[in-house]
Amino acid sequence: MRLHRLDITAFGPFGASQSVDFDDFSAAGLFLLHGPTGAGKTSVLDAVCYALYGSVPGARQGGSGQGMTLRSDHAAVGTRTEVRLELTVAGRRLEITRQPPWERPKLRGKGTTVDKAQTWLREYDVTTRAWKDLSRSHQEIGEEITQLLGMSREQFCQVVLLPQGDFARFLRADAEARGKLLGRLFDTRRFAEVEKRLAERRRTTEAGVREGDATLLADAHRMQQAAGDAMALPELAPGEPGLAEAVLEAAAVARGTARELLTVADCRLTATESAQTAAERHLADARELGRLQRRFAEARERAAGLAERADAHRAAEERMARARKAEAVAPALELRDAADSEHREAAAAEASARALLPQALAHAGAVGLAAAARRAAEELGGLESARRAERRLAELVEERAGLDRQERADDEVRQEAETWLAGWETTRTGHQRRIDSAQEAAARAGQLALQRDPVRRRLEAARQRDRLTDDTEEARRRALAAAEDAVEARDHWLDLKEQRLHGIAAELAANLTDGAPCAVCGATEHPAPARKTAGHVDRDAEERALAAHQAAEERRAKAERHLGTVREALAAATAEAGDAATARLAEEAEELEGAYARARATASTLHAAQEELRRAEGEREQRAAVQQQAVVRSASRVAGRDRLEREQAVLEDELTRARGSAESVTARAAQLERQAALLTRAAETARVAEDTAQRLKDADARIADAAFRAGFDTPADAAAALLDDTAHRELQRRLDAWQSEDAAVRAVLGEADTADAARRPPADLAAAERAAADAGRRLREATSARDAAARCCAELDRLSAHAATSVRRLAPLREEHTRVARLASLAAGTSADNERRMRLESYVLAARLEQVAAAATARLLRMSSGRYTLVHSDGRTGRGRSGLGLHVVDAWTGRERDTATLSGGETFFASLALALGLADVVTDEAGGVRLDTLFIDEGFGSLDDQTLDEVLDVLDALRERDRSVGIVSHVADLRRRVHAQLEVVKGRSGSVLRQRGAG
């Protein structure tokens, strides 16, 4: 099989259409598929698998909605997902196009609709040099491709898309895990089915053997549970003589004891019911008396409080009356306060303004102050030209200062750049050291990643083992209960059958007629035909009992099968997890995860460290450029400084004449501006003070008249009597509350039943509650004891009757069970006669594993420079089964050791050799289909330079006879060693493919 071209549209991370021309890689033979994590390297391989089989590998499979899962989130709304693969297989050049289901916008109206999946298969006709359509049927195309390739999807993913992580786990796995992988590749399900059917037959015969012994023992346990201490179980095991008689005797004793206890409990219950009724009545009376006594006492206390507050209440009423009178004076008071406030503010403003004036103008009137302000403003207008010259001089000084600042800044820039550039080598070395550390951490993370899965699987198996232990016990209890029900139904059916046989004569007699011969004896006279007695069992009753018995048997068999399944699952989980405690395995997994997370965290800084180094290099170039620019700017500032000095000299002469005795023209103008402003403000404040004084005088006259009319001697008395809104509401609330309280207290003290209760002794509520509680507790105890005694009697009667019918034992199936169990144990590898504990399916797979190990060794010897050899072992390892063991022979030491002891790099090339060997064996079994295109997924980061060269030499040898090998990796060193590359570049709008170095 050779791949020629792959076209991808809206698939996985690829939002737009992408193409891969594998023919360009044929000449190079070895090519690299690389890109950052999450870019979509694996999605390229997924697209190849999807084109061939209509689904993606392993855990990335979707389900019924796989098409929606495969679609790229970056794709445009109107672009449909499509994968097209052109390949040559079995001498035929084919083109496969697949489109998964697509949810697209409706052509009319709103909403979306789903287009069905589409598949096309075309073949290139050499004669006509044109493509011809072969099929558009999913099923036909799938069968055609599988037949041509000779491999299922699982086999294809193992032998063409070589997943190194899977084979690293295969090296460290136990026999069970290896058997699962090999079983999928070599299809040994028929042997596993034989094991399964033998195990099912063993469980069925075992259930039949245990049924009779378990029935009577279960009855005895239920009777002991019902009777408690009144019954002791006989110390006999199932099958021992005398068990039935001992159980029935113990049941009779327990029934007599239980009936005596029931009689005593009935008498006690009657007495406690009467006592409880009397205690409840006494408690109700005590509660009512206590309530009335508390009500009367509270009313007396409230009346005493009102008497103490009577004087305050009268004073509050008088205060409210004065406040209502003062409300008539309030408007005049508000006007006078406003006028007084305005006058004080105006006088203060006038005094403040006059204090800033010269002594000659301090006592001038408002008119004189206004005239002086006008004269100062006229003088200020004559200084405008000089002020412009002064502003220009300030600008010139600032420009010269700016030139000086620029000169100092450029000097600082030059010095800073020189200092930074002097330490460039130290900075670059530090960045490179962080990059090297991150790369080492990435390699270490790859090694730890290979170690995580075995530990995780063992931890999960331990947790499943703990869960299944409880499930097994529950299944055992259910199977025992189902067996008991089946025995009871069978006994009932046999009893009815026996009764019917006893009365069968009556059924035959019912059909006799005089003169007709009897069906039994042939006589034509029937002088004394049998008659049906009371309780006669007919055919319908017997058939109903038989149907009930058969249904119970089916439930029993189902429960037994479930118990066997749970036990097998428990055994498998125990074999996987071993005897190690779950907590210890969890700690080991957590420690490994922590080390892996730390390595990943360190490795994740690689990109940032590389970016920092690139930024530092850019900064170095920028600082060198800045240094050169500062030198150029310094030279250009000399001519500008001379021009500014000449203009400054001319302006200084002009300003000397204009400013007079002041320090500057601006200072002289500021003096005049300040003088004009002070005079203007003083004139205005003087006028306002005169106006407010007149308004205050008018307000004093109005308030004196209003206070006299309201009955107050002075305006101050009226102001003191006023209340604000808050005080008025609070005083009114106090008056209303006093009146409401007084009315309520009088009503309570006038109640006849309350006054009568107050004259009686205090109620003892606590004693009444204790008595009622004691009576209720005694009643509950008596009721519970009586119900328990009644249930015990009824249950013992039922179980005793059932035990009496269970003493008949069924004929054992022990001989058949022994024969079937021995055969099933041999096939399952659990029998003592099976010394190597090898399962039937494992026996078949062991031969395959020998072939795989031999094929892998040929390449492993070259990768390890002749050091390592893979050998198959059928010996037992620990508590596990034999047949699928895999060891490595170290030529340096001459010792054979487990593959789990290999280092990370050794594990990689051992797993690679194993993957290639497995590909050869599966290819041979598939009819010798030639694989001209292979992919190897990750793991190269754990190899040193020498080992990497040896591995690449082995892979390079795969190119013989025009074979193409693709390496999927993000190891940076491979980009230097492998020139033909397919790069996956990720971005915000999706990933793209770049193909270079091929052809």
Side-chain angles (χ1 to χ4, degrees):
M1 180 201 74
R2 173 182 295 279
L3 303 184
H4 298 293
R5 183 179 180 85
L6 174 67
D7 296 322
I8 306 172
T9 302
F11 181 91
F14 305 104
S17 296
Q18 305 294 323
S19 296
V20 181
D21 191 347
F22 291 104
D23 287 339
D24 285 347
F25 291 124
S26 297
L30 193 64
F31 65 96
L32 176 66
L33 173 57
H34 70 93
T37 301
K41 300 187 295 297
T42 305
S43 295
V44 176
L45 308 184
D46 289 348
V48 174
C49 185
Y50 179 73
L52 292 173
Y53 295 96
S55 60
V56 296
R60 298 189 294 277
Q61 296 182 58
S64 60
Q66 186 187 71
M68 307 305 177
T69 305
L70 297 177
R71 180 171 177 78
S72 174
D73 295 333
H74 302 286
V77 176
T79 302
R80 179 161 188 174
T81 302
E82 181 181 278
V83 175
R84 180 182 292 109
L85 178 65
E86 185 178 341
L87 74 160
T88 296
V89 59
R92 300 170 61 185
R93 184 150 184 163
L94 304 176
E95 182 191 77
I96 308 169
T97 304
R98 291 189 185 271
Q99 295 178 347
W102 180 39
E103 184 178 5
R104 62 168 176 79
K106 292 182 178 179
L107 298 178
R108 297 181 180 178
K110 298 181 179 179
T112 60
T113 184
V114 177
D115 284 351
K116 296 181 180 180
Q118 301 289 331
T119 306
W120 295 271
L121 178 62
R122 300 196 304 170
E123 182 175 5
Y124 184 77
D125 191 338
V126 181
T127 303
T128 61
R129 295 187 178 184
W131 291 95
K132 63 178 180 179
D133 294 334
L134 295 183
S135 176
R136 298 192 64 172
S137 169
H138 300 295
Q139 182 176 359
E140 290 179 0
I141 295 174
E143 292 174 354
E144 180 73 8
I145 295 300
T146 303
Q147 182 177 0
L148 289 173
L149 292 176
M151 291 180 287
S152 64
R153 178 178 59 82
E154 290 78 11
Q155 290 175 315
F156 178 86
C157 294
Q158 291 291 342
V159 302
V160 178
L161 312 180
L162 302 179
Q164 292 304 291
D166 288 352
F167 286 96
R169 288 190 293 273
F170 185 88
L171 283 173
R172 293 180 168 84
D174 56 13
E176 293 292 338
R178 288 185 181 134
K180 291 178 181 177
L181 174 60
L182 294 175
R184 291 197 304 268
L185 293 177
F186 296 106
D187 193 15
T188 57
R189 289 174 295 181
R190 59 188 181 279
F191 302 102
E193 187 65 24
V194 170
E195 297 177 21
K196 180 179 177 182
R197 292 188 180 181
L198 285 174
E200 291 176 353
R201 183 57 182 163
R202 178 187 59 190
R203 289 192 294 270
T204 302
T205 56
E206 182 183 5
V209 170
R210 292 184 314 204
E211 183 178 359
D213 292 338
T215 300
L216 186 58
L217 188 58
D219 287 341
H221 278 287
R222 288 199 295 271
M223 283 189 286
Q224 184 192 39
Q225 184 179 5
D229 297 335
M231 178 181 176
L233 284 177
E235 298 181 357
L236 295 173
E240 293 186 11
L243 177 62
E245 292 76 6
V247 171
L248 293 177
E249 182 180 354
V253 173
R255 290 172 62 195
T257 303
R259 293 190 182 284
E260 292 177 0
L261 292 175
L262 178 60
T263 302
V264 174
D266 284 335
C267 297
R268 181 184 176 191
L269 178 60
T270 302
T272 54
E273 285 176 345
S274 300
Q276 196 268 346
T277 301
E280 289 291 338
R281 286 198 300 270
H282 179 66
L283 176 60
D285 294 342
R287 285 174 176 169
E288 180 61 18
L289 177 60
R291 185 186 69 81
L292 294 175
Q293 289 177 343
R294 289 193 300 273
R295 180 177 174 82
F296 186 81
E298 291 172 356
R300 293 291 298 273
E301 291 177 359
R302 291 163 64 187
L306 289 174
E308 292 176 358
R309 300 196 303 272
D311 294 340
H313 176 66
R314 286 191 293 273
E317 289 179 334
E318 293 176 358
R319 180 75 177 89
M320 179 63 75
R322 287 178 57 81
R324 291 195 178 98
K325 292 181 180 179
E327 289 176 356
V329 188
L333 286 172
E334 293 176 357
L335 291 175
R336 197 272 174 190
D337 290 342
D340 181 63
S341 176
E342 290 177 357
H343 177 62
R344 285 197 301 271
E345 291 177 359
E350 181 185 10
S352 176
R354 287 183 180 276
L356 299 176
L357 297 177
Q359 187 63 29
L361 299 174
H363 299 288
V367 176
L369 292 174
R374 287 192 297 271
R375 288 193 299 271
E378 291 172 356
E379 184 179 355
L380 177 63
L383 293 178
E384 183 61 31
S385 175
R387 292 176 69 178
R388 286 194 299 271
E390 190 173 54
R391 286 194 297 270
R392 175 56 184 162
L393 180 61
E395 292 174 357
L396 293 177
V397 173
E398 180 60 29
E399 288 182 20
R400 290 196 59 185
L403 292 176
D404 294 338
R405 285 194 300 272
Q406 292 174 6
E407 186 68 27
R408 289 192 298 272
D410 285 341
D411 290 340
E412 293 176 358
V413 168
R414 286 195 301 273
Q415 293 175 2
E416 182 182 0
E418 292 173 357
T419 302
W420 193 93
L421 292 172
W424 162 243
E425 285 302 323
T426 302
T427 302
R428 187 192 63 77
T429 302
H431 289 310
Q432 188 61 46
R433 187 163 50 250
R434 286 193 292 275
I435 291 173
D436 295 341
S437 176
Q439 290 175 340
E440 293 175 359
R444 187 166 60 255
Q447 297 172 1
L448 292 173
L450 297 177
Q451 302 173 14
R452 288 191 306 163
D453 287 344
V455 176
R456 286 177 175 174
R457 288 198 303 274
R458 195 175 179 195
L459 174 59
E460 181 60 28
R463 289 171 175 165
Q464 187 176 11
R465 176 196 62 196
D466 297 342
R467 291 194 301 271
L468 289 174
T469 299
D470 297 335
D471 295 345
T472 301
E473 180 61 24
E474 177 63 21
R476 188 193 64 79
R477 289 195 296 269
R478 292 183 178 178
L480 181 60
E484 294 168 356
D485 293 342
V487 171
E488 183 178 352
R490 177 180 174 83
D491 291 343
H492 179 63
W493 167 59
L494 292 176
D495 288 342
L496 293 183
K497 184 175 183 180
E498 184 176 358
Q499 294 176 28
R500 182 167 179 261
L501 290 175
H502 290 165
I504 195 65
E507 288 190 24
L508 295 174
N511 297 323
L512 294 177
T513 57
D514 291 336
C518 175
V520 178
C521 64
T524 56
E525 295 182 359
H526 318 293
R531 296 289 185 267
K532 292 184 181 180
T533 61
H536 174 74
V537 177
D538 55 11
R539 178 185 295 274
D540 292 339
E542 180 188 355
E543 290 179 350
R544 287 195 298 272
L546 175 60
H549 161 62
Q550 293 172 343
E553 283 293 330
E554 291 178 359
R555 291 192 294 272
R556 178 195 59 76
K558 182 178 180 181
E560 290 292 342
R561 288 194 298 271
H562 176 64
L563 175 59
T565 301
V566 174
R567 283 177 172 170
E568 284 189 356
L570 175 60
T574 304
E576 174 78 16
D579 296 331
T582 304
R584 183 177 66 79
L585 292 176
E587 292 176 359
E588 181 181 351
E590 183 178 0
E591 181 179 355
L592 184 60
E593 285 293 338
Y596 176 71
R598 290 190 295 273
R600 283 292 301 275
T602 304
S604 66
T605 63
L606 174 60
H607 179 70
Q610 292 172 338
E611 288 297 323
E612 290 178 2
L613 177 58
R614 283 195 289 271
R615 285 196 295 270
E617 291 174 345
E619 185 176 359
R620 179 175 65 86
E621 296 175 358
Q622 182 179 4
R623 287 182 180 271
V626 168
Q627 182 183 22
Q628 181 64 29
Q629 293 171 2
V631 173
V632 174
R633 286 195 300 271
S634 297
S636 65
R637 279 191 292 269
V638 175
R641 186 179 287 108
D642 293 340
R643 177 182 56 79
L644 293 177
E645 288 177 353
R646 290 192 298 271
E647 185 178 359
Q648 181 178 359
V650 174
L651 291 175
E652 286 178 349
D653 291 341
E654 179 183 352
L655 292 176
T656 300
R657 295 188 300 269
R659 64 175 172 259
S661 60
E663 295 181 357
S664 64
V665 175
T666 302
R668 177 58 181 163
Q671 290 176 357
L672 292 175
E673 287 177 353
R674 187 165 52 254
Q675 181 178 356
L678 291 175
L679 291 171
T680 302
R681 180 170 178 271
E684 180 63 22
T685 55
R687 183 186 61 77
V688 172
E690 292 173 357
D691 294 342
T692 56
Q694 183 60 40
R695 286 198 295 274
L696 176 61
K697 182 177 180 180
D698 296 339
D700 285 336
R702 285 195 297 271
I703 192 173
D705 181 62
F708 177 77
R709 287 198 303 271
F712 294 97
D713 295 336
T714 63
D717 293 341
L722 277 174
L723 293 174
D724 57 22
D725 292 342
T726 302
H728 187 279
R729 286 194 300 270
E730 177 61 22
L731 183 60
Q732 186 63 50
R733 185 192 63 77
R734 287 163 48 196
L735 293 174
D736 295 341
W738 195 93
Q739 292 176 356
S740 299
E741 180 71 2
D742 181 64
V745 168
R746 292 178 183 278
V748 173
L749 294 178
E751 295 175 353
D753 55 347
T754 305
D756 180 64
R759 291 189 291 271
R760 297 173 62 184
D764 191 354
L765 183 59
E769 289 177 343
R770 286 194 299 272
D774 291 342
R777 177 179 51 78
R778 288 192 295 271
L779 177 60
R780 289 191 299 272
E781 292 175 352
T783 302
S784 178
R786 196 271 173 194
D787 293 343
R791 287 195 301 271
C792 180
C793 288
E795 186 67 8
L796 286 176
D797 290 343
R798 186 185 67 81
L799 293 175
S800 296
H802 185 269
T805 62
S806 298
V807 295
R808 291 173 297 178
R809 306 287 300 274
L810 296 176
L813 301 174
R814 197 172 306 278
E815 180 180 357
E816 181 185 1
H817 168 65
T818 301
R819 184 174 65 255
V820 174
R822 183 171 179 272
L823 186 58
S825 298
L826 284 172
T830 59
S831 172
D833 297 333
N834 191 336
E835 295 178 359
R836 296 189 180 278
R837 301 187 67 185
M838 186 181 295
R839 293 172 48 193
L840 178 61
E841 184 181 13
S842 299
Y843 177 81
V844 177
L845 293 176
R848 297 299 191 190
L849 185 56
E850 281 185 313
Q851 296 174 330
V852 172
T857 296
R859 295 186 174 91
L860 180 58
L861 284 171
R862 184 173 178 183
M863 292 183 190
S864 61
S865 300
R867 179 178 180 182
Y868 292 120
T869 302
L870 282 176
V871 294
H872 163 258
S873 171
D874 58 0
R876 294 176 56 186
T877 57
R879 298 181 57 191
R881 299 176 181 177
S882 62
L884 297 177
L886 196 62
H887 292 167
V888 62
V889 177
D890 190 343
W892 290 5
T893 62
R895 298 176 62 89
E896 180 177 315
R897 54 191 173 98
D898 193 86
T899 53
T901 62
L902 294 173
S903 67
E906 293 169 342
T907 298
F908 166 71
F909 60 67
S911 63
L912 176 57
L914 187 67
L916 296 173
L918 183 63
D920 291 343
V921 174
V922 174
T923 300
D924 293 339
E925 182 173 330
V929 176
R930 175 174 170 79
L931 301 178
D932 293 321
T933 305
L934 294 177
F935 294 90
I936 302 173
D937 191 6
E938 278 301 348
F940 292 85
S942 59
L943 303 180
D944 56 38
D945 291 342
Q946 179 180 354
T947 306
L948 182 58
D949 288 336
E950 293 171 348
V951 170
L952 290 178
D953 288 342
V954 173
L955 295 178
D956 193 62
L958 295 176
R959 296 187 298 164
E960 297 174 0
R961 291 178 296 173
D962 201 25
R963 175 179 283 180
S964 178
V965 180
I967 298 176
V968 184
S969 178
H970 55 68
V971 175
D973 196 33
L974 285 173
R975 302 177 197 170
R976 177 177 57 82
R977 299 170 183 259
V978 181
H979 301 291
Q981 298 179 10
L982 178 61
E983 182 181 9
V984 185
V985 182
K986 67 178 180 180
R988 298 181 63 88
S989 60
S991 298
V992 295
L993 296 175
R994 295 177 181 173
Q995 185 171 345
R996 62 176 181 268

